[in-house]
Amino acid sequence: MNNRFREIFVTPKPILGMLHLTGSSAEERLEIARKETGTLIENGVDGVIVENYFGDKDDVRRVLEWLETRNPGVLVGLNVLRDHRLAFELAKQFRVDFIQMDSVAGHLPPEEDKDFAVELAELRDGVSSVLLGGVRFKYQPVKSGRSEPEDLALGKERCDAIVVTSDATGQVTDLDKVRRFRATTGSDFPLLIGAGLTAANAREQLLEADGAIVGSYFKDTYADTGIVDGAHVAELMNVVENLRGESAASAMRVEA
């Protein structure tokens, strides 16, 4: 398993909860993010991802500042949609354990991809944050002219874990796609489910992958527009904990 990934995510099958920054004002968005963080962590989630899904970049800064001053033990991730450069800038200003980027390979034509690769390498040199990168990710175009395995090979070079989804937010990630990605990346490179994880499919999905990012299922409405609900978080995390227990018991039997 990738050493940088494992240094941060010490718990097997880490589950990362999204803070979508919903709310009708800056004050309300910060207050909801505070409450959602508490709900996620109290119910066993391993870290949170601050994302400007509904809020703006100023909201992202405010939440990062609050997380740094009030929750030093919480693993903090960041995804700045449509502005990955800002994500790396913020990672220099705040404690950001990991950065998520929706695409690190496959989304650009070859001539643009060369410049992107150089820029990304330079950005990564400036921070210690682990990078979770999407390949053939939801809503992202495929313009590389390369095959899926070729894009995945480049993705492995550019990040510390690959994130896989189907086509839309909340849509269950196609298990055949997960298995294709795993066959290409190999068992030693981290692979995370990026959308559609539920209590009903978590066991099946996490038997193939090394962790997951969860947004919609944790909400009271099971949709991205909702508010994180503790019962939903606890239900999914119970499945994850059982799977972790099974894996630990199996490892002990093998050692014996």
Side-chain angles (χ1 to χ4, degrees):
M1 188 67 67
N2 181 285
N3 288 335
R4 291 192 67 191
F5 180 88
R6 190 53 66 206
E7 286 171 5
I8 296 295
F9 301 108
V10 297
T11 302
K13 311 289 185 182
I15 303 299
L16 311 173
M18 296 298 304
L19 300 176
H20 283 140
L21 307 189
T22 188
S24 59
S25 68
E27 293 75 17
E28 185 179 21
R29 286 189 286 274
L30 178 57
E31 183 58 26
I32 290 173
R34 287 172 172 173
K35 291 180 179 178
E36 290 188 329
T37 298
T39 301
L40 290 165
I41 299 304
E42 288 165 10
N43 287 283
V45 167
D46 301 290
V48 299
I49 302 179
V50 184
E51 183 180 83
N52 57 326
Y53 193 90
F54 292 114
D56 60 25
K57 296 167 185 178
D58 290 333
D59 295 314
V60 169
R61 291 178 185 274
R62 280 188 285 269
V63 175
L64 287 175
E65 183 175 18
W66 173 76
L67 284 165
E68 189 160 275
T69 58
R70 299 296 186 91
N71 290 276
V74 174
L75 279 178
V76 175
L78 176 60
N79 185 11
V80 182
L81 300 171
R82 299 170 295 278
D83 193 350
H84 63 273
R85 298 172 189 85
L86 179 59
F88 285 92
E89 290 176 18
L90 291 172
K92 294 178 182 179
Q93 300 171 35
F94 300 97
R95 179 177 61 85
V96 174
D97 299 296
F98 60 98
I99 294 170
Q100 181 193 352
M101 284 180 60
D102 284 359
S103 187
V104 294
H107 61 297
L108 295 171
E111 60 276 11
E112 295 179 32
D113 185 69
K114 291 178 182 178
D115 293 336
F116 170 79
V118 172
E119 178 198 46
L120 182 58
E122 292 174 349
L123 291 170
R124 295 203 67 197
D125 280 343
V127 303
S128 59
S129 308
V130 167
L131 181 59
L132 316 181
V135 176
R136 306 292 176 102
F137 201 77
K138 58 184 179 179
Y139 306 120
Q140 294 294 314
V142 179
K143 297 183 177 180
S144 66
R146 295 183 293 263
S147 68
E148 182 178 280
E150 288 171 328
D151 280 336
L152 282 168
L154 282 180
K156 287 179 63 176
E157 295 175 6
R158 296 174 181 178
C159 65
D160 301 299
I162 296 290
V163 186
V164 56
T165 70
S166 285
D167 298 325
T169 296
Q171 184 181 105
V172 175
T173 302
D174 177 56
L175 201 57
D176 287 339
K177 185 177 182 181
V178 177
R179 288 169 175 157
R180 289 200 316 270
F181 273 41
R182 172 60 84 199
T184 301
T185 61
S187 60
D188 289 335
F189 195 87
L191 179 66
L192 304 182
I193 304 298
L197 198 78
T198 71
N201 68 30
R203 176 182 172 81
E204 180 180 51
Q205 295 264 322
L206 291 174
L207 284 172
E208 303 290 341
D210 300 300
I213 297 166
V214 184
S216 298
Y217 186 79
F218 283 159
K219 304 298 184 73
D220 53 0
T221 58
Y222 295 112
D224 52 11
T225 52
I227 302 296
V228 170
D229 181 278
H232 295 185
V233 181
E235 183 181 23
L236 190 149
M237 291 309 300
N238 183 59
V239 177
V240 175
E241 290 296 342
N242 287 338
L243 181 58
R244 288 170 176 167
E246 291 173 19
S247 298
S250 177
M252 290 178 64
R253 287 195 295 270
V254 170
E255 291 177 2

